[in-house]
Amino acid sequence: MHPNSAFRPRQDDLAELLVREIGFAAIFANTPDGPRVAHAPVVLGDDRTTLQFHLARGNALTRHLGGANALAVVQGPDAYVSASWYADADQVPTWNYVAIEMEGVTRKLDDSELVAQLDTLSAAHEARIGTNPPWTREKMNPAQFSKMTGAIVGFEMRIAAWRPTIKLSQNKSADERDRVIAGVEVTGHGAIAQLMRHLGGDRKDA
């Protein structure tokens, strides 16, 4: 989390929207074997107090997560920012990025909760890609589906803390931000440019 308060989103629902839109997180926890990280699709609860995910049963983190305090990090687009894009010569390069940290204690899901999580995930993402008809587990042989779900373990984090960083040059003037937007767009980072335009109201001179 960046210490500059300028990079805390002013829109209360922005971090939640980004977690739902990106839908993928790195899950960190300490284990007896040292710190471990896993990567997984995530489902944010409707009340934004829970985050569900699942891991392969053989993942090195899986056997340590139940009851553990964990950190989930959802990372959005990022881009290098050249100091040459500023009018003031006394500047240094930096990096614009989006990162949302969520911390909390995790619990293992039972079989029915895991299946519900998988149904929610597939329904959300099938709707995005517009498959008609969408894929559902009803298309699978139930025995095969049960065998495959037996190879994964579901978890739910009770979110105790949100720590979002939306670092998009909010501490710069409107003219400087416009130059950075043009620069990152030219260098192929259109997603960062679009977010910077969307957050134009968070400028320090706004």
Side-chain angles (χ1 to χ4, degrees):
M1 182 176 71
H2 198 287
N4 191 332
S5 61
F7 306 135
R8 303 283 82 72
R10 297 180 186 178
Q11 297 166 248
D12 290 341
D13 63 345
L14 181 58
E16 174 185 346
L17 289 171
L18 288 167
V19 170
R20 296 190 193 280
E21 178 65 24
I22 296 165
F24 198 79
I27 313 295
F28 299 85
N30 283 319
T31 77
D33 302 319
R36 293 288 183 270
V37 61
H39 308 271
V42 294
V43 175
L44 182 64
D46 291 340
D47 62 357
R48 71 192 299 271
T49 64
T50 60
L51 188 77
Q52 289 193 358
F53 57 94
H54 62 273
L55 304 177
R57 191 171 292 276
N59 190 290
L61 190 56
T62 300
R63 66 182 181 274
H64 302 296
L65 269 181
N69 196 58
L71 180 70
V73 181
V74 171
Q75 289 189 284
D78 65 273
Y80 173 77
V81 176
S82 172
S84 66
W85 296 337
Y86 301 129
D88 184 354
D90 292 325
Q91 297 285 336
V92 295
T94 187
W95 213 276
N96 277 355
Y97 65 94
V98 171
I100 297 112
E101 299 177 12
M102 294 157 285
E103 182 180 351
V105 174
T106 60
R107 69 174 182 91
K108 184 178 175 181
L109 300 179
D110 64 28
D111 291 345
S112 63
E113 290 174 312
L114 172 60
V115 170
Q117 179 197 137
L118 298 175
D119 286 346
T120 300
L121 267 173
S122 61
H125 292 283
E126 288 291 319
R128 286 186 180 187
I129 65 175
T131 304
N132 188 19
W135 181 91
T136 68
R137 60 186 166 89
E138 281 72 24
K139 297 186 177 183
M140 291 186 67
N141 180 301
Q144 181 65 14
F145 179 79
S146 180
K147 179 181 178 180
M148 295 181 76
T149 56
I152 60 177
V153 181
F155 295 94
E156 179 180 86
M157 172 191 290
R158 175 65 61 177
I159 303 172
W162 284 77
R163 291 189 290 270
T165 298
I166 314 293
K167 184 177 180 294
L168 300 174
S169 303
Q170 298 97 312
N171 59 333
K172 302 299 183 182
S173 70
D175 287 344
E176 287 174 324
R177 279 175 55 87
D178 288 343
R179 285 194 292 272
V180 172
I181 289 170
V184 297
E185 201 156 42
V186 166
T187 55
H189 298 283
I192 277 283
Q194 287 298 329
L195 279 173
M196 291 182 70
R197 291 189 182 99
H198 176 72
L199 290 184
D202 276 358
R203 290 193 300 246
K204 73 172 187 175
D205 58 335

